[in-house]
Amino acid sequence: MVAAAPSGKKPLPDMMTSIRIDKSGQVEIVDQLLLPHSVVWQPVSTPEEAFAAIKSMKIRGAPAIASLAALSLRSYLSSSSAPSFDTPSDAIKYVRETVDYLQSSRPTAVNLGEAMDRIRTVLKDGEAKNTSSTEEIVEQVKKVCGEVHEEDLERNMSMGRLGAEWLWKKRGGEKSGKKGLKVVTVCNTGSLATSGYGTAIGVITALFEEDQLDTAYYAQTTPYHQGSRLTSLELTTLQIPACMICDTMLGSLFQHEDIDGVIVGADRVVQNGDTANKIGTYQAAVLAQRHNIPFMVVAPVTTIDLSLSTGTDIHIEHRPSIEATQVRGLNTETGKLSVVRITPEGVGEGDKPWQRVYNPSFDVTPAELISK
């Protein structure tokens, strides 16, 4: 099990996990592009393999990619394939270039940058101490890499408990007469997207454990369907009462159901509170305000970026058009995984004005739309 129930009141089935480490220190990830129909574990032995996995979104979720980047560096520095360093300066140069490289794999998620900055601090300290040996520097880097992964799990469990308590007091409690809350989430923010337990789904899980959840509605979250593929897998694995909706059904749901809260994660939170998250979050926030529904952002401190003043400063990653024009799924006739095109030939591939595809991975929710 990745994480035990924080309340201890209701045991959970085993959670999904995106990263595992065997006794020898080998790091493996589950290929999330193949979920939910096929579970394939892929070894990640080098920073280059981690970069490829993050870039292709075989692993995704801001905390999870930070963990993988750090763990891949630790694993490689511990392996027989690691480069030999003649001087401490050689080790510092190699690690610095490697963390720069890893950070470039996904530019919007600040957790990755925060993790790499922690490693850069070790390098600066090593440079400042002329007495530091190569072995000391490498061991300090490896120690910090492990802490990046371990600390995220602890934060997630605390956030889940605190977020559930806040929403229950705001919308539930004995005075409301409600037996459970109805909540909505987008994207995937559970144990697959983190080092364990999850952020927004961590709140949902905590509500469920305390018998304070009626239904968790989750959007499909196109174009990559991380809701219908991954959130659905996590919620069904945990046996949490849930209902999938299409992204375009949010307004209708808010009109016809007594929704108690929208709970989302974040990839970057800047100085004024503006928040970047998976595409579709902003429209959920606007609709939630229209219907007076609390809108919660659940994210660890590693997601906060005080170097940027407002959301307009956030670099928004745009994904390849093919991710919006094709879908991967299970062929019900053959029982095998298939990729199918859902648009006319040429859309997203040609250079004609009518063949364009707009495919940002994230949008920005202004701070004023987020509940205090």
Side-chain angles (χ1 to χ4, degrees):
M1 178 178 286
V2 177
S7 67
K9 289 189 175 181
K10 180 181 292 184
L12 292 171
D14 286 351
M15 290 183 174
M16 302 292 299
T17 183
S18 59
I19 302 172
R20 67 185 184 188
I21 308 169
D22 66 20
K23 293 180 180 179
S24 69
Q26 173 65 60
V27 179
E28 294 183 319
I29 62 167
V30 64
D31 186 344
Q32 295 190 33
L33 295 176
L34 303 179
L35 294 175
H37 306 296
S38 181
V39 179
V40 176
W41 287 93
Q42 173 181 317
V44 176
S45 303
T46 67
E48 290 75 18
E49 291 176 353
F51 180 98
I54 295 168
K55 188 72 174 177
S56 65
M57 295 184 73
K58 288 183 177 180
I59 186 170
R60 26 67 53 203
I65 64 177
S67 288
L68 177 64
L71 291 174
S72 71
L73 178 57
R74 183 183 71 170
S75 177
Y76 186 58
L77 290 174
S78 303
S79 72
S80 58
S81 303
S84 58
F85 307 114
D86 295 328
T87 66
S89 296
D90 291 340
I92 290 171
K93 181 176 183 294
Y94 170 79
V95 174
R96 182 170 285 142
E97 291 176 349
T98 301
V99 298
D100 289 347
Y101 168 71
L102 285 167
Q103 187 171 341
S104 68
S105 60
R106 294 298 301 276
T108 303
V110 74
N111 305 62
L112 178 56
E114 190 273 345
M116 298 302 99
D117 281 344
R118 291 177 65 176
I119 299 171
R120 291 185 183 104
T121 298
V122 172
L123 303 181
K124 289 179 182 177
D125 290 345
E127 287 177 322
K129 299 175 183 176
N130 294 327
T131 57
S132 295
S133 68
T134 300
E135 291 75 18
E136 287 175 326
I137 292 171
V138 170
E139 287 305 311
Q140 280 298 310
V141 167
K142 288 160 60 175
K143 179 176 181 291
V144 169
C145 288
E147 290 171 350
V148 167
H149 178 64
E150 293 159 7
E151 291 170 7
D152 181 56
L153 174 58
E154 296 174 4
R155 292 190 186 105
N156 290 343
M157 296 178 72
S158 294
M159 288 189 297
R161 174 180 54 81
L162 293 172
E165 289 176 357
W166 181 85
L167 188 60
W168 180 250
K169 288 178 182 178
K170 196 170 186 68
R171 298 288 285 200
E174 295 179 1
K175 293 181 179 179
S176 72
K178 293 185 178 182
K179 295 182 179 179
L181 305 183
K182 295 181 179 181
V183 299
V184 173
T185 192
V186 300
C187 193
N188 172 253
T189 58
S191 53
L192 286 172
T194 64
S195 298
Y197 203 75
T199 55
I201 289 182
V203 174
I204 292 171
T205 303
L207 285 169
F208 174 64
E209 292 175 284
E210 296 290 347
D211 292 321
Q212 294 172 345
L213 181 72
D214 181 298
T215 306
Y217 295 89
Y218 58 97
Q220 287 181 320
T221 318
T222 54
Y224 230 164
H225 298 91
Q226 289 169 1
S228 55
R229 291 192 305 108
L230 305 179
T231 298
S232 60
L233 179 61
E234 291 195 338
L235 295 178
T236 54
T237 297
L238 294 173
Q239 301 175 18
I240 292 176
C243 179
M244 186 184 77
I245 61 170
C246 299
D247 297 12
T248 51
M249 296 175 182
L250 276 170
S252 175
L253 182 72
F254 291 169
Q255 284 181 326
H256 298 288
E257 293 289 342
D258 181 20
I259 301 299
D260 295 292
V262 178
I263 311 172
V264 301
D267 288 81
R268 189 178 295 251
V269 181
V270 297
Q271 279 186 36
N272 72 339
D274 291 352
T275 299
N277 193 49
K278 178 68 177 181
I279 193 73
T281 302
Y282 171 58
Q283 66 189 28
V286 171
L287 285 165
Q289 185 184 65
R290 172 68 177 83
H291 292 272
N292 297 312
I293 297 171
F295 185 90
M296 296 177 60
V297 173
V298 186
V301 293
T302 52
T303 306
I304 298 172
D305 181 7
L306 298 180
S307 71
L308 301 182
S309 299
T310 71
T312 58
D313 299 322
I314 299 174
H315 172 70
I316 298 298
E317 174 190 3
H318 283 249
R319 300 292 301 172
S321 299
I322 194 173
E323 294 176 4
T325 62
Q326 298 183 11
V327 294
R328 179 187 285 108
L330 185 70
N331 186 317
T332 56
E333 294 182 357
T334 65
K336 297 180 180 180
L337 293 179
S338 301
V339 176
V340 299
R341 171 183 286 279
I342 57 174
T343 60
E345 197 74 28
V347 172
E349 298 172 352
D351 57 3
K352 301 294 189 297
W354 53 86
Q355 294 177 323
R356 294 177 296 173
V357 171
Y358 178 67
N359 190 21
S361 190
F362 306 93
D363 55 28
V364 175
T365 299
E368 60 265 26
L369 297 180
I370 300 170
S371 299
K372 304 297 190 292

